[in-house]
Amino acid sequence: QVQLVESGGGLVQTGGSLRLSCETSGRIFNTCDMGWYRQAPGKQRELVARIRISGSTNYADSVKGRFTISRDNTRNTVYLQMNSLKPEDTAVYYCNADSIGIVKTTYWGQGTQVTVSS
């Protein structure tokens, strides 16, 4: 059963923009910190951005000033707005949810491909 449904990936030229979306259930959205990770070919999966239930955010240094993560509490959706894209941003992007309760549970989306052409 797919718990996190991602959309919005695609092919874009250098300098372009994309917005990724990740929709989930209210149960997950209201009990988890949400984030976006990415994995490029031959590399480890890395954290891109995280937004906590409190609304606080943190970003990888490589995307600061270019990417913005946000959550829409009315739609149970987290977004990643990506501007000024670079070829090195090319990767499969995964939505992530980490529960904040005593029992830790992690959820992953299926991934969406982002390709930035030079």
Side-chain angles (χ1 to χ4, degrees):
Q1 182 180 2
V2 178
Q3 306 272 22
L4 305 177
V5 180
E6 299 141 336
S7 61
L11 173 64
V12 65
Q13 291 185 332
T14 297
S17 298
L18 284 174
R19 188 177 78 158
L20 305 183
S21 301
C22 174
E23 184 177 0
T24 186
S25 67
R27 178 183 64 82
I28 291 176
F29 192 81
N30 294 324
T31 59
C32 291
D33 294 332
M34 304 292 294
W36 288 95
Y37 286 70
R38 67 186 180 187
Q39 186 166 19
K43 295 187 176 182
Q44 289 188 329
R45 191 174 296 189
E46 62 174 0
L47 175 67
V48 176
R50 174 171 298 279
I51 184 165
R52 295 169 182 78
I53 287 179
S54 65
S56 65
T57 59
N58 61 280
Y59 297 89
D61 288 342
S62 59
V63 307
K64 283 180 181 177
R66 300 188 297 122
F67 290 11
T68 302
I69 190 170
S70 61
R71 9 184 350 143
D72 186 336
N73 296 332
T74 65
R75 298 176 184 268
N76 297 330
T77 300
V78 61
Y79 301 100
L80 184 68
Q81 178 66 44
M82 305 185 294
N83 299 328
S84 302
L85 282 161
K86 305 175 182 180
E88 50 264 44
D89 294 318
T90 295
V92 178
Y93 284 70
Y94 296 91
C95 183
N96 163 270
D98 284 325
S99 64
I100 62 170
I102 295 175
V103 177
K104 299 297 183 184
T105 304
T106 296
Y107 304 90
W108 290 98
Q110 76 281 5
T112 184
Q113 177 70 46
V114 171
T115 303
V116 184
S117 63
S118 57

